[in-house]
Amino acid sequence: MPRFNTSSAFPLRKAALVTLILTGWLGGAQAQTIYPIDRADILEGSKFDFKVEFPDAPKPDAVKVTINGASVESVLGKAGTFIESEEGQKHSALWAREVSLAPGRYVVEAVQGDAKKTVVWNVFPASGPRKAKNVILFIGDGMSIAHRTAARILSKGWREGKYDSELAIDDMPNMALISTSGNDTIVTDSANSASAYTTGHKSCVNALGVYCAKNALSLDHPKVETIGELVKRKTKMALGVVTNTEIEDATPASMVAHTRRRSDFNEIVKMFLEVKPDVMMGGGSPNFLPKTTPGSKRSDDLDAIAKFREAGYTIATTKTEMNAAAAAGASKLLGLYNTGNIDGAFDLRLAKKGSVSKFPDQPDVTEQTRAALKILSANPDGFFLMVESGRIDKYSHSLDWERAVFDTIMLDNAVKVAKDFAADRNDTLIIVVPDHTHAVSLIGTYDDNRPGQLLRDKLGVYDKSLPPNYGPLDADGFPTDVNTSRRLAVVFGTYPDTCDTGKPFMDGERVPSVAGADPKTFVANEKDCTAPGAARKAGNLPFEANTGVHSADDGLLTAMGPNAEKFRGRKDNTFVFRVMAEALSLGGK
Amino acid sequence: MGTRAPCQMDRRALIGGGFALAIGTYPAKAEDIESITFDGLYKSFGVLGFEFADRVRALKSKRVKMTGFMAPPLKAESSFFVLTRQPLAICPFCQSDAEWPVDIVVVFLKAATPAISEGRRVSVTGVLEIGSTIDKETGFVSQIRIVEADVQRF
Ligand SMILES: [Zn+2]
């Protein structure tokens, strides 16, 4: 490229830089920080902690905070507490905890010497007539477009370019692209992204129901109210949290939790105890057991199982017990079916690997949804139910697409159960959405009968991408054999050093890489590299990555029922909270 | 789900304690080292807790030998590592330190050794400890431990 192009571009870049400095953008580390952050959309009447952090630990008389030009106390009803040099750190803080606001636009100004920081909040109304009696939020963790397309091919059949029938998640009247970034990074994690759905606030990676302030301890950060808390505080509705991951994991925890660190499992169990959702189901029992019980992961003597029992919960540890509780008319159910994650549909049905032999009577997400609906729908005031198919993500991390797609089909079956429930009533908002995506694509088929020895010889693309010859479907729409001679070619765009086999992993979840000789490096799992035709790939991720990573690609939301018409075009993930809050009129008294 | 950032953060949080590990003072007995296995650890194993096998309980405070996989350690040199039934290829800290499998055995080595065997099958010899303990430095909860241990590649 000619040299003058470079030099002519330079002054432009410099000018842009100067503008950035003038607007304070580059001075972020030194400026005052206000929580909630700029452009926050806040539900009227919802509780949040207001915090302003001032650099250089100023004294209270050196700073001034106003909201719409008036004092903090006159707007928030609390003057707040000023903490000089908070926690001994090099900043001072103003806190006003558990405040709330009426609808409107709020301009918050924090002045410190010559430096002025301004943020604007939009407090939105949601106190009109209640549109929905029930809301069911389905989260396909990490569910991307290719998972969906592959699930449709596997489960619904493909003939002459058309599908034989529709996925329940596709056959919905409303649709939107959802952007999932957190406020700190382009690519998010499941804590931050689920929290956006359950609080309406974007936050940072690893955070649940809090903004990420400078506080040292994970539980001390400024909180925002979750939809689980709102439903319990403001309504008489029933509340349900259903997952096939550990119940303390990010997505289910986002219904109740406030912590900067998603791995605070023991604290998260306490938060479940505080909110007490009527139905809670998932894996992750060890954090419910007191430390004296072998198998406990707690560091204290809290017996959460006993506490829930005292509060009137039926405890189920198997599918049989779950169904018995639902049939017997239980109104509160705690179902814990595995010490870790509940096994995915691929292992429950086909491979029987994972922990299936250890826990032979685990329900799948579809069966859990059916039981949860039976229990929750008995409440005359309606219910809010969150259902997560959580291992679509986990299996995509391990680059095990068949397992991820089986769990997508399982989610689809669960949505079918919900749609059947909602069919003859126009009072239930159903939303199906991923919390983020993976870099995954369907590019053709591997055909063992193609000539050549290498995996890429077997790959049929374009006019060679003939449909797969998977085994017949079972009654629930899962293929009974995927280890056939012509299989979908689903590839991941991010990977550590690894070997692709082009075949399903019938002996257990794929292990894409193993620890290398140098600490914190990972190398291909040689077990896969010796498979016939295996393709060795040099990783394209940072060296310490041992699995695939999330992508920032938008996710696809589909929805039906009251207020679902709000979903169109592209929306931020926080908008999902707003639609649900409006549907249930959660801004009202 | 898991991302790299949380992985690194959690590791740092755990390493922060510095791993000043107390090594038990058990009399070293060279004779009669019994072998125990992951399959033989438990009499019952359920969602609401498990029971150690009678034989394992009888071996409490005795020298035992056990094979398993060395989980990726928390730092390059450590006298503490986790022995697992299966190789832990998916770094548990990527999701959280709370997501270790339940059936792990924590190994306290006689001396800090470079983690040359991470991800590999190892054989551990040492004194068996049973009962819930929380490591003061790291908060790591363990139900069964092998202390004063030596480790070898299997
Ligand atoms: Zn993930």
Side-chain angles (χ1 to χ4, degrees), chain A residues 141 190 393 397 436 438 550, chain B residues 1-2:
Chain A
D141 202 311
S190 292
D393 170 71
H397 280 290
H436 59 78
H438 279 265
H550 298 173
Chain B
M1 255 312 23

Side-chain angles (χ1 to χ4, degrees), chain B residues 106-153:
Chain B
V106 175
V107 178
F108 291 92
L109 296 165
K110 271 182 187 156
T113 45
I116 48 163
S117 297
E118 77 172 83
R120 295 190 178 82
R121 192 144 195 209
V122 293
S123 170
V124 173
T125 309
V127 178
L128 186 68
E129 270 191 1
I130 290 177
S132 179
T133 291
I134 301 163
D135 185 67
K136 280 198 187 97
E137 300 293 335
T138 62
F140 200 96
V141 183
S142 62
Q143 303 286 347
I144 180 165
R145 292 162 301 283
I146 298 177
V147 302
E148 284 214 326
D150 294 304
V151 63
Q152 288 180 317
R153 286 231 193 139

Side-chain angles (χ1 to χ4, degrees), chain A residues 190 206 246 261-263 265 285 291 294-297 299 336 339 358 393-394 397 511 515 520 544 546 550, chain B residues 1-4 6 8 10-11 45 47 49-50 89 91 95-100 102 118 132 134 141 143:
Chain A
S190 292
N206 276 343
E246 294 171 282
R261 187 169 178 262
R262 57 186 281 176
S263 57
F265 276 22
S285 57
K291 72 176 185 204
S296 167
K297 286 184 181 175
S299 48
L336 296 170
T339 52
K358 213 190 284 178
D393 170 71
K394 294 183 193 299
H397 280 290
V511 175
K520 294 193 181 170
E544 70 269 20
N546 57 358
H550 298 173
Chain B
M1 255 312 23
T3 69
R4 298 306 308 176
Q8 289 158 358
D10 288 340
R11 274 175 181 245
F45 191 99
V47 167
F50 49 72
C91 161
Q95 308 196 0
S96 73
D97 56 326
E99 286 191 40
W100 287 97
V102 181
E118 77 172 83
S132 179
I134 301 163
V141 183
Q143 303 286 347

Side-chain angles (χ1 to χ4, degrees), chain B residues 55-66:
Chain B
R55 175 168 174 272
V56 171
R57 279 217 289 251
L59 289 170
K60 187 175 171 179
S61 304
K62 301 215 168 75
R63 280 180 72 78
V64 296
K65 187 173 192 172
M66 189 168 188

Side-chain angles (χ1 to χ4, degrees), chain A residues 469-492:
Chain A
N469 59 357
Y470 292 133
L473 299 180
D474 68 14
D476 299 318
F478 293 89
T480 48
D481 185 7
V482 290
N483 199 11
T484 55
S485 64
R486 200 161 61 231
R487 307 166 301 276
L488 292 186
V490 175
V491 298
F492 288 88

